Amino acid sequence: MNRKILPLVFSVLFAFNAISPAYAAKSINDLKNDLSSNQKKVENTKKAIKSKQSEKNDQTEKKNQLDIEISGLQDDIDEVQSVINEKNAEINQKNGEIAELNTSIKKTDKQLKKRMKVMYENGTSSYLELIFQAKGLSDMFTRISIVEDILKHDKGMINKYQSQIEKLTAAKQMVENEKNEQLEAKQILQQKQSQMKTKKAEKEQIIQSLSSDIEALKKQEEEAEKAEKQIQAQIKAAMQKPAQKAVKYTGNGKFLWPLASYSSISSEYGYRIHPITKTKKLHAGIDIAAPAGTAIYAAEDGVVLTSGWNSGYGYCVTINHGGGYVTLYGHCSSLLVSAGQSVKKGQIIAKVGSTGNSTGNHLHFEVKVNGAAVNPRGYL
């Protein structure tokens, strides 16, 4: 070898040895630390989601309560406005009566003034003269009767005038009272409208707060759909392996309940309407509530198709039982079997947890027949 090349070779080898530790594979301890760190992140995210969902529930409940209060305020406003309208109608009616009374009073006043002028010019002596000029007793009584009629007419005119004045005064007082009551009603109306404005602003703020999170919720739903597609793809790929194709179904159509001593279903299989996004989504399995670390059993003999992390399902196991039957066990805290491993009915395959898109410890259990999710209740 050329002596000039040797130093170059040694320098390259030295440089390679010097930098290679920086690119060396991680140790098991490093991987464990990374997994632990990732798990902590998942748990923190889960807690944040749970807190946010609880906050949303509180906000939604508060919004519903505000809707009730706003509806009640609207009823109050409508009632007060009705009173104001009634008062206004009564005031208009009384003002019409007052106008008629004023016209009538003016007419009566004119008549009285004319009559008083006559009485002033002639005095009461004219009545006596009229009587004394009578031609006989019969004529005198007739004249007395005429004088009485005249006096009665004058008195009636005066009484009518007084009555009209009293009615006018009463009508004006009633209008004044109605205006005062209407003013009070308007003040109440303003208070109710102010309360309504405040409640509506509060409701709008809540709606904006909820709306700002709808996109995040939709993203979670999209991630769940993505997780479902991902696990379906994994199952489909695994089913192509000769060992999986060779699995024969030996059961009787009934699977073992996957948890011992825990049978409370927190969420059933089926389509659900999200309370905020209003979207219709299929919950492809049943959620069985149980404490963290509870043993999960294989529902039937079979071969493990997949065993690992799926962002939506968290730590997840799927088992091929043959005959087109596959069971899925999601949100586990730990997995005790590996892909390709044969398992027996009742064998412990994982532990209950709350990994992935989960807000509490539970087992998400699915049954798939020929690739399609079915209601697990029909097979348990």
Side-chain angles (χ1 to χ4, degrees), residues 7-37:
L8 179 60
V9 173
F10 283 123
S11 64
V12 171
L13 289 172
F14 178 79
F16 178 80
N17 289 331
I19 64 173
S20 61
Y23 296 93
K26 290 184 178 180
S27 67
I28 295 300
N29 286 334
D30 290 336
L31 290 173
K32 286 182 177 179
N33 289 335
D34 287 347
L35 288 172
S36 177
S37 176

Side-chain angles (χ1 to χ4, degrees), residues 228 232 269 282 284 324 326 366-375 379:
E228 172 65 18
Q232 288 282 36
Y269 169 92
L282 173 66
V326 172
E366 293 185 19
V367 174
K368 297 179 184 294
V369 179
N370 296 323
V374 296
N375 192 338
Y379 297 85

Side-chain angles (χ1 to χ4, degrees), residues 192-296:
K192 295 293 182 181
Q193 288 174 334
S194 177
Q195 291 175 13
M196 171 79 89
K197 185 178 179 180
T198 301
K199 296 293 183 184
K200 283 186 174 180
E202 192 175 351
K203 175 186 172 182
E204 186 62 29
Q205 187 176 1
I206 290 174
I207 290 173
Q208 289 177 358
S209 173
L210 291 173
S211 297
S212 66
D213 292 326
I214 287 179
E215 289 304 317
L217 289 172
K218 286 182 177 178
K219 187 176 179 181
Q220 287 181 19
E221 291 176 347
E222 288 171 1
E223 288 176 354
E225 290 176 353
K226 183 179 177 181
E228 172 65 18
K229 290 178 181 178
Q230 182 181 348
I231 200 72
Q232 288 282 36
Q234 291 173 357
I235 291 172
K236 185 177 180 180
M239 289 291 283
Q240 299 305 312
K241 296 178 180 180
Q244 295 291 353
K245 288 183 176 181
V247 177
K248 302 295 182 183
Y249 180 63
T250 59
N252 59 1
K254 287 294 180 182
F255 294 149
L256 177 72
W257 188 263
L259 297 179
S261 304
Y262 297 98
S263 58
S264 175
I265 297 179
S266 56
S267 185
E268 291 281 1
Y269 169 92
Y271 282 94
R272 301 179 295 187
I273 302 296
H274 196 285
I276 296 175
T277 63
K278 306 302 181 183
T279 53
K280 189 176 182 181
K281 299 292 180 183
L282 173 66
H283 184 234
I286 57 174
D287 292 343
I288 309 170
T294 300
I296 300 172

